Amino acid sequence: LLAGLDKLREEKGIGVILIAHSQSKRFESPEHDTYDRYCPKLHDAASSLAQEWADEVFFAGYKILTRAEDQGFNRSRNIALGTGERYIRTTETAAVIAKNRLSLPAELPMDWAEYEKFFSQAPATKKKASK
């Protein structure tokens, strides 16, 4: 699959965008306690190959705010409040897998025009090789 996508990109000049669902998966860090983070919902080997192949790996999500609600008896619970605003993370954090080779800011609004501003400034070699 990736060899075929390379051929499309290199011979036909077609930009390739792969989209996958995400999953929360336990990450066993050799330096820290184990924690969960979002990663592409693919088989581990396929996920590793696709991430290595791609120039950019983004994580898209919704902005969410939380507020604590008192339940009495010294107990509270957090309530999630969605804003409806979408964003894209472009660099890896403890919570998500992401990367980019365009020196993008860590977070962008989920808007093609915002991404295109950075892509149009990239050197021609990166544009040609972008996946």
Side-chain angles (χ1 to χ4, degrees):
L1 173 69
L2 297 178
L5 294 175
D6 275 336
K7 196 169 191 145
L8 283 175
R9 188 186 59 196
E10 293 165 5
E11 292 179 11
K12 303 286 185 183
I14 295 173
V16 176
I17 297 174
L18 302 176
I19 299 173
H21 286 277
S22 65
Q23 65 182 348
S24 179
K25 196 167 188 181
R26 178 131 348 268
F27 178 68
E28 297 187 21
S29 170
E31 297 179 340
H32 305 286
D33 293 336
T34 300
Y35 57 91
D36 292 340
R37 68 178 178 174
Y38 288 111
C39 61
K41 189 175 182 179
L42 298 170
H43 184 278
D44 288 345
S47 184
S48 293
L49 284 171
Q51 290 174 57
E52 185 178 322
W53 176 84
D55 288 331
E56 286 88 34
V57 175
F58 297 152
F59 175 82
Y62 287 98
K63 293 272 185 188
I64 296 174
L65 307 171
T66 58
R67 84 176 152 82
E69 181 180 87
D70 184 19
Q71 292 190 305
F73 303 104
N74 292 328
R75 291 183 13 192
S76 66
R77 70 177 186 153
N78 287 327
I79 306 291
L81 306 168
T83 64
E85 183 182 348
R86 301 288 311 253
Y87 69 91
I88 296 173
R89 291 221 178 115
T90 65
T91 57
E92 188 163 332
T93 67
V96 302
I97 292 176
K99 73 173 191 179
N100 79 83
R101 296 180 181 158
L102 296 174
S103 300
L104 298 171
E107 192 174 292
L108 290 172
M110 192 163 174
D111 180 338
W112 180 260
E114 288 296 316
Y115 171 69
E116 192 174 35
K117 287 178 193 175
F118 294 95
F119 187 72
S120 64
Q121 296 171 7
T125 55
K126 282 193 178 183
K127 283 186 208 175
K128 190 173 185 181
S130 183
K131 299 170 182 101

